Amino acid sequence: MAEKINAPEVRFVGFTDLWEQRKLGELARRITRKNAEHESDLPLTISAQYGLVDQRTFFNSQVASKDMGGYYLLRKGEFAYNKSTSTDSPWGAIKQLVKYEKGCVSTLYICFELLEADPDYLVTYYETNRWHKAVQLVAAEGARNHGLLNISPDDFFETQLTLPVGKAEQECIGKYFGSLDNLITLHQRKYDKLVQLKKSMLDKMFPKPGERFPEIRFAGFTDPWEQRKLGEFSKKRTTKNADGALSETFTNSAEQGVISQLDYFDHDITNDANISGYYVVQPDDFVYNPRISATAPCGPINRNRLDRAGVMSPLYTVFSVDASVDKTYLEHYFKTSRWHDFMFLEGNSGARSDRFSISDATFFEMPIWCPEISEQKAIAKQLETTDHLITLHQRKLELLRNTKKSLLDRMFV
């Protein structure tokens, strides 16, 4: 008999009944059909973020056996439980097949079809952590290193879940979160398109190596671009924080740019005793960080947009730029890879594999492609507009995801 339990913190108007607790086995039936007739040749895997997806594109290869006759055959609308754990899925992931009509999954998965409850409700329920405790009660981590849970199908179908007594409330919840997911997907696509547009612009609006004209440019500009050395219009900052007037330490992140060290590390890793030898960084100064990463193969160069001065470790190269070059243009230039060839040719990774090594004298010999200042400003304005749109969609995405996260916590028992 179902156990009556309390209602959630937030619910739709008109629903007042207590929720109930049911065993999954009362609501669903296990699927063990094999792909013996080779009805499908699509290997599927479960992603905590993307659900049941094509294994070949997710892993960039086909991990499944070429002969999938022994795999389970899953049809659209049915569910599968992947017992492999991860940081995002500490007790595995349960997903419904929605993108394809059918596909094959490993027999390590536990598959089932729903008999009673609303499927959209259950899809959303399994995005919460409400079912984790139920699995935890019947499962123990297996001996395999990659975190495969030791849970039998029989025990899995004994797990309890909570749901509204009436199917109408289940349907309301499922429909609401489905609409919210569609909105998130829409903004994600817009964001992704803008990011790709920015990437294309950075590639096409600056001349390729050996050329003096970009692939695309604004109407009215026809002159060839000029190559200048960085040191012709910039100067290294060498002022130390000797008097201790500045106490805020900056860092230069490839992804986030010049930011406060406190924001980046959640704590300040410097102290008053060693900060006196740090370089002073003024607003609009540029900073080169020699630490390399996948997104910054020879280290990032970013501009201080914080509208305030701070200090940075002597490991960084800090420099100012004169008015002969538009600062915003130069900032975006350093987002391209056009300067990387020079760095790889003239510098090296040094004794530490995570740090690029290049002398100051050589660094300021770096060639920079520059059109006339009016074209620089036009390029900078266009790229700034694109960045602004990207930021707006990113914030909207974060707001929608945070809204969903809050509602997932408050609309379920």
Side-chain angles (χ1 to χ4, degrees):
M1 184 175 179
E3 178 186 351
K4 298 290 183 179
I5 57 175
N6 292 328
E9 179 184 347
V10 175
R11 66 196 307 190
F12 292 99
V13 176
F15 298 107
T16 57
D17 291 340
L18 296 180
W19 284 30
E20 64 181 357
Q21 194 170 63
R22 302 278 300 275
K23 291 181 180 180
L24 177 61
E26 298 173 6
L27 306 171
R29 177 170 54 210
R30 187 185 177 197
I31 294 171
T32 57
R33 79 173 78 88
K34 295 290 184 68
N35 189 39
E37 301 297 324
H38 297 280
E39 188 175 330
S40 173
D41 60 357
L42 174 64
L44 299 173
T45 192
I46 287 184
S47 159
Q49 182 177 0
Y50 301 108
L52 277 155
V53 293
D54 188 340
Q55 188 182 91
R56 295 166 298 190
T57 55
F58 188 75
F59 293 111
N60 293 321
S61 64
Q62 182 162 328
V63 181
S65 168
K66 290 183 179 180
D67 180 9
M68 290 180 283
Y71 281 63
Y72 288 145
L73 176 66
L74 202 65
R75 296 196 174 106
K76 191 170 186 176
E78 297 172 342
F79 290 78
Y81 172 42
N82 181 359
K83 296 180 285 183
S84 293
T85 65
S86 66
T87 303
D88 295 330
S89 307
W91 297 100
I94 302 173
K95 298 294 179 180
Q96 183 188 37
L97 182 59
V98 293
K99 189 175 181 180
Y100 313 100
E101 290 299 321
K102 52 193 170 184
C104 303
V105 297
S106 165
T107 52
L108 293 174
Y109 288 8
I110 300 175
C111 304
F112 61 93
E113 60 179 331
L114 207 54
L115 302 176
E116 287 188 31
D118 178 70
D120 291 333
Y121 169 83
L122 200 66
V123 166
T124 308
Y125 178 81
Y126 282 126
E127 288 190 44
T128 73
N129 61 3
R130 298 299 195 266
W131 58 280
H132 290 180
K133 185 176 180 180
V135 173
Q136 189 177 4
L137 290 173
V138 296
E141 286 200 35
R144 295 176 64 177
N145 292 330
H146 62 276
L148 186 70
L149 291 179
N150 182 10
I151 178 172
S152 70
D154 288 342
D155 287 338
F156 175 69
F157 285 101
E158 286 293 310
T159 57
Q160 303 271 1
L161 62 151
T162 59
L163 67 167
V165 174
K167 201 168 184 180
E169 187 173 6
Q170 296 178 32
E171 291 172 348
C172 283
I173 294 171
K175 184 178 180 180
Y176 176 79
F177 279 98
S179 297
L180 188 57
D181 282 340
N182 288 337
L183 192 57
I184 290 172
T185 299
L186 178 64
H187 281 278
Q188 181 69 58
R189 286 174 181 165
K190 289 181 178 178
Y191 172 79
D192 291 342
K193 286 182 179 179
L194 284 168
V195 170
Q196 287 301 313
L197 174 63
K198 171 74 181 296
K199 183 179 179 181
S200 177
M201 290 166 67
L202 288 174
D203 183 57
K204 295 181 178 181
M205 294 180 75
F206 298 86
K208 289 181 168 56
E211 299 180 6
R212 300 187 66 186
F213 299 91
E215 185 176 340
I216 59 174
R217 66 196 307 190
F218 293 99
F221 298 108
T222 58
D223 292 339
W225 286 32
E226 176 189 10
Q227 194 175 74
R228 301 180 65 188
K229 293 181 180 180
L230 179 61
E232 292 177 13
F233 54 84
S234 69
K235 184 178 180 181
K236 183 180 179 182
R237 290 281 193 187
T238 58
T239 303
K240 298 289 185 68
N241 189 41
D243 57 1
L246 297 171
S247 59
E248 185 179 17
T249 306
F250 295 159
T251 193
N252 182 12
S253 160
E255 290 78 21
Q256 301 177 56
V258 176
I259 61 171
S260 174
Q261 192 179 86
L262 185 63
D263 295 332
Y264 188 72
F265 294 106
D266 290 327
H267 65 282
D268 202 330
I269 63 173
T270 58
N271 56 61
D272 294 338
N274 63 22
I275 204 173
S276 62
Y278 278 35
Y279 289 131
V280 173
V281 184
Q282 297 293 344
D284 287 330
D285 279 353
F286 286 79
V287 181
Y288 169 55
N289 180 0
R291 186 176 293 276
I292 61 178
S293 65
T295 55
C298 46
I301 300 176
N302 285 304
R303 174 181 163 201
N304 175 20
R305 287 198 174 209
L306 297 177
D307 294 326
R308 62 183 184 271
V311 297
M312 297 194 84
S313 165
L315 292 174
Y316 296 100
T317 300
V318 183
F319 60 95
S320 60
V321 175
D322 64 34
S324 67
V325 170
D326 183 81
K327 294 181 178 64
T328 307
Y329 164 82
L330 187 63
E331 181 180 13
H332 287 289
Y333 182 89
F334 286 129
K335 298 296 184 184
T336 74
S337 61
R338 297 298 190 263
W339 55 285
H340 290 179
D341 286 348
F342 169 83
M343 296 291 284
F344 290 130
L345 181 64
E346 301 295 340
N348 58 72
S349 60
R352 292 183 54 173
S353 60
D354 65 339
R355 196 178 298 279
F356 200 87
S357 176
I358 188 168
S359 70
D360 285 345
T362 304
F363 179 79
F364 285 99
E365 288 289 312
M366 183 193 304
I368 306 291
W369 282 105
C370 300
E372 59 176 284
I373 194 72
S374 58
E375 188 171 3
Q376 291 181 34
K377 291 182 180 297
I379 292 170
K381 183 179 180 180
Q382 179 61 54
L383 292 173
E384 285 292 282
T385 300
T386 305
D387 276 349
H388 179 66
L389 289 172
I390 289 172
T391 300
L392 286 178
H393 282 286
Q394 188 175 33
R395 288 174 180 168
K396 183 67 174 179
L397 265 175
E398 290 172 358
L399 177 62
L400 287 169
R401 286 170 177 158
N402 288 335
T403 298
K404 180 181 177 181
K405 182 179 179 181
S406 175
L407 290 174
L408 284 174
D409 185 59
R410 301 172 67 192
M411 291 182 69
F412 292 84
V413 178

